[in-house]
Amino acid sequence: MSERAVRQRLQSLELAGVTCLPKTQGYSEGHAERQIDSASVRERADGSNHADQLLQVLREEVAGCQKCPQLASSRTQTVFGAGSAHARLCFFGEAPGADEDASGIPFVGRAGQLLTKIIEACTLSREEVYILNVLKCRPPENRRPLPEEVENCRSFFEHQLKIVQPEYICCLGASAAHALLETTDSIGSLRKKWFEYQGSRVMCTYHPSYLLRNPSAKRDVWEDMKRLMEAMEIQLPAR
Ligand code: URA
């Protein structure tokens, strides 16, 4: 192997998350390569599965949560989160509705379908972002989460965000923005600004349910998405 090829190989191993290589005993090029290969595969498997495994453990903990007696008794199931454990971008909503309670998947009802369209208009997919809510249980009659319910769920969403470590978080509506940023400012005044949360850049926009009631606000959300995509250096097709 030439020096240049070795350098390139080491760089690609580093990108794959390999931090050390096994010592080889006695030199045989094929043997050394096989050792590097198996180390790289093992490390990549561990590295890329680790966040998924941590999310799975947390998902199981959430599924057994009984901290809010009313929600725990009325829910069909908890709604944990969906998407990539390595997402650059998280969408943070309020709480599951009837469709989410029935399916166990966030944002699948009418508001969810609109969110999916927004994600796709940004040239992304639901699979490559991560979607979560403040509350993991459906509040009865879709009422707003109570402050004590938000506090009971805080360690869950904080832990989810710590595992995913997104570069960007988009808060959908006031409940999400207030829970994450610990503010009571209106969503109107939080829009068009950047915030910081545990190393992630945070922006706020209207909740898709609000857009279903007020379609004229879609224009504002699209402006917010364009700002977000520009920050993420994701090029949007000309419209
Ligand atoms: N609204 C939310 O905030 N979250 C969902 O999952 C569905 C609707």
Side-chain angles (χ1 to χ4, degrees):
M1 238 184 180
S2 71
E3 192 188 319
R4 189 161 157 270
V6 170
R7 214 177 278 285
Q8 280 177 346
R9 185 90 177 97
L10 290 172
Q11 271 168 359
S12 70
L13 287 169
E14 194 174 19
L15 284 173
V18 175
T19 52
C20 63
L21 292 172
K23 257 193 191 165
T24 56
Q25 283 164 354
Y27 181 76
S28 127
E29 195 166 296
H31 175 72
E33 284 224 8
R34 269 196 306 282
Q35 287 234 21
I36 290 172
D37 274 337
S38 60
S40 131
V41 167
R42 197 169 53 244
E43 288 266 355
R44 200 176 321 166
D46 290 352
S48 59
N49 284 337
H50 192 55
D52 292 294
Q53 285 166 0
L54 291 173
L55 285 178
Q56 184 54 29
V57 170
L58 187 59
R59 178 189 288 272
E60 284 161 24
E61 192 186 327
V62 165
C65 180
Q66 299 287 331
K67 284 190 223 169
C68 306
Q70 187 191 27
L71 303 190
S73 66
S74 61
R75 75 185 177 215
T76 305
Q77 58 193 315
T78 53
V79 178
F80 181 66
S84 168
H86 307 280
R88 289 184 69 201
L89 170 61
C90 280
F91 285 95
F92 190 42
E94 178 179 293
D99 295 300
E100 292 78 21
D101 175 71
S103 66
I105 304 168
F107 281 100
V108 290
R110 279 183 70 221
Q113 285 160 24
L114 182 50
L115 176 62
T116 303
K117 277 192 190 167
I118 293 169
I119 292 169
E120 289 171 355
C122 293
T123 72
L124 297 169
S125 67
R126 282 179 66 107
E127 290 70 34
E128 63 190 309
V129 300
Y130 190 79
I131 305 173
L132 74 164
N133 285 308
V134 177
L135 294 195
K136 310 306 179 202
C137 298
R138 181 192 180 199
E141 318 296 334
N142 296 342
R143 63 157 168 73
R144 279 276 177 101
L146 302 174
E148 61 265 33
E149 292 168 347
V150 174
E151 290 321 305
N152 286 341
C153 250
R154 179 172 296 283
S155 71
F156 293 143
F157 69 72
E158 286 187 346
H159 202 155
Q160 277 174 297
L161 292 171
K162 205 174 220 163
I163 294 169
V164 178
Q165 289 183 15
E167 285 171 57
Y168 294 88
I169 301 171
C170 176
C171 292
L172 301 168
S175 293
H178 292 173
L180 195 76
L181 301 173
E182 304 201 64
T183 173
T184 53
D185 293 352
S186 71
I187 198 74
S189 68
L190 294 169
R191 282 184 60 234
K192 304 187 193 171
K193 292 178 189 157
W194 287 105
F195 301 90
E196 197 270 341
Y197 174 83
Q198 305 279 330
S200 302
R201 294 187 79 192
V202 180
M203 52 89 68
C204 305
T205 193
Y206 296 118
H207 192 285
S209 300
Y210 176 78
L211 300 184
L212 293 174
R213 298 190 302 274
N214 301 278
S216 64
K218 285 182 186 174
R219 186 191 298 259
D220 294 329
V221 170
W222 186 237
E223 290 305 316
D224 295 339
M225 290 303 121
K226 284 199 291 194
R227 208 170 302 118
L228 174 59
M229 291 306 112
E230 192 182 336
M232 293 181 72
E233 298 184 7
I234 293 176
Q235 201 142 15
L236 295 175
R239 287 196 160 215

